[in-house]
Amino acid sequence: MTMKFRAFLLVCLSCASLSAFAVTDGVRIKDLGRLSGWRENPLVGYGLVTGLAGTGDSAGNKTTRQSISNMLKQFGVNLPPEDVLSRNTAAVIVKASLPAYAQPGDTIDVTVTSLGDARSLVGGSLLLAPLKGPNDRVYVLAQGDLAVGGYSYDMNGSVVQKNHPTVGTIPGGGVVEVGVGVKVVNERQKLTFVLADPDFTTASRIAAAINQSMGRTVAAPRDAAAVEIDAPAEGGARLVDFVARLERLTVHPDNRARVVINERTGTVVSGGDVQISKVSISHGEMKVSIVTDNSVSQPTFVSDTGRGVRTEVVSNSRIDVAESDNRQIDSTGNTVADLVQSLTRIKTNTRDIISILRAVKAAGALHADLVVQ
């Protein structure tokens, strides 16, 4: 049994063990979704990174030169853009996500990406840059030294590079100026719990678990993606305690069976309890190789070599056909894990397992969604 087979088998068996664990202990409602209104808010801004060791934007980048000229005017320095040398400066886009309930003075991480033709942002420092939301309002001010995690050096046409040196981060580099309020209770005095993976059965079980815990009917599934819950009229701390109690409840989610295949890497991930019908698989392969041998024909015992007598290159080709015996298995188990064990016994590689699973799905014997990445 090769390492690939063992790894794939362990994945399947581990998924089966995790599935059994989930059935026993359940999953917290908190881990199955979120309350409507709870979200992160994307922000974006424009800025300049300075202090680069000649790896910034080239002198031909008009955007950077104009930005430097505009910045210097704020400090009383009037310099035309055409007189600016910007090799130690780079124009960048700054982005961040403002979390729910962020308050003024909180710090968040920001990401800085090169906008021009800079070769590297290593050693650079971001100047004060405002980050705006879709409403064009400034929510965060970003500034600080970049952590790139890579490098790029070149000389005389030779380049040495690690990772992507034109993208960096500033941990805690953004200061929240305007907080974000979250409204989780709607005008009908209800909370809406949104499932991360919509499912009618799971929504029904969540509502039942909440009603059983509260001792009365306070929750009802609106559809496969949401459960509506009556919020306490008092609000405030009473609402916080109520939501905390809901989040600790556990249910048994009922998700659709899936088999995920990544053909680029040859990876197959499946739950060990994914059902299959009884199926017979015949697997074999034929290898055809064409080999050409070039040899030189050298004339010998010829006294006069100037009358059309010369060395000749002769090509001899042969075709070899090697056809392995067809290997047939009958999967008597009812899960993908059983099928994998059968395929492992006949030493099937991962690429062939992918092809076999697709064929089993096409035959209607695999009772799961086949996700090909």
Side-chain angles (χ1 to χ4, degrees), residues 16 50 54-55 92 101 137 154 193 207 244 273-274 278 300 315-316 324 367:
T50 60
T55 60
V92 295
Y101 291 109
R137 184 178 181 182
D154 62 275
F193 183 80
D273 57 349
V274 173
K278 184 176 181 180
T300 57
S315 297
N316 297 314
S324 61
H367 306 299

Side-chain angles (χ1 to χ4, degrees), residues 98-246:
L98 188 63
Y101 291 109
Q103 300 298 319
D106 293 346
T107 59
I108 60 175
D109 299 341
V110 299
T111 301
V112 180
T113 61
S114 175
L115 182 63
D117 56 356
R119 297 195 302 271
S120 174
L121 299 180
V122 173
S125 180
L126 175 69
L127 300 183
L128 188 63
L131 305 187
K132 300 180 179 181
N135 58 357
D136 203 34
R137 184 178 181 182
V138 175
Y139 287 89
V140 172
L141 295 178
Q143 182 173 274
D145 298 330
L146 271 69
V148 176
Y151 56 79
S152 177
Y153 302 103
D154 62 275
M155 180 176 291
N156 299 327
S158 300
V159 180
V160 178
Q161 179 173 323
K162 177 183 179 181
N163 297 336
H164 296 277
T166 53
V167 178
T169 60
I170 307 177
V175 180
V176 178
E177 294 295 318
V178 179
V180 177
V182 178
K183 185 179 180 181
V184 295
V185 180
N186 60 23
E187 60 279 357
R188 297 184 294 116
Q189 199 61 23
K190 288 183 177 294
L191 298 166
T192 302
F193 183 80
V194 181
L195 278 71
D197 190 7
D199 183 85
F200 285 105
T201 303
T202 303
S204 177
R205 291 176 180 176
I206 290 175
I210 295 174
N211 293 333
Q212 182 179 2
S213 174
M214 298 300 172
R216 64 185 190 278
T217 302
V218 297
R222 188 181 68 188
D223 49 37
V227 177
E228 290 190 337
I229 309 165
D230 294 334
E234 298 86 350
R238 180 78 175 86
L239 176 63
V240 173
D241 294 338
F242 181 77
V243 174
R245 181 178 177 182
L246 295 182

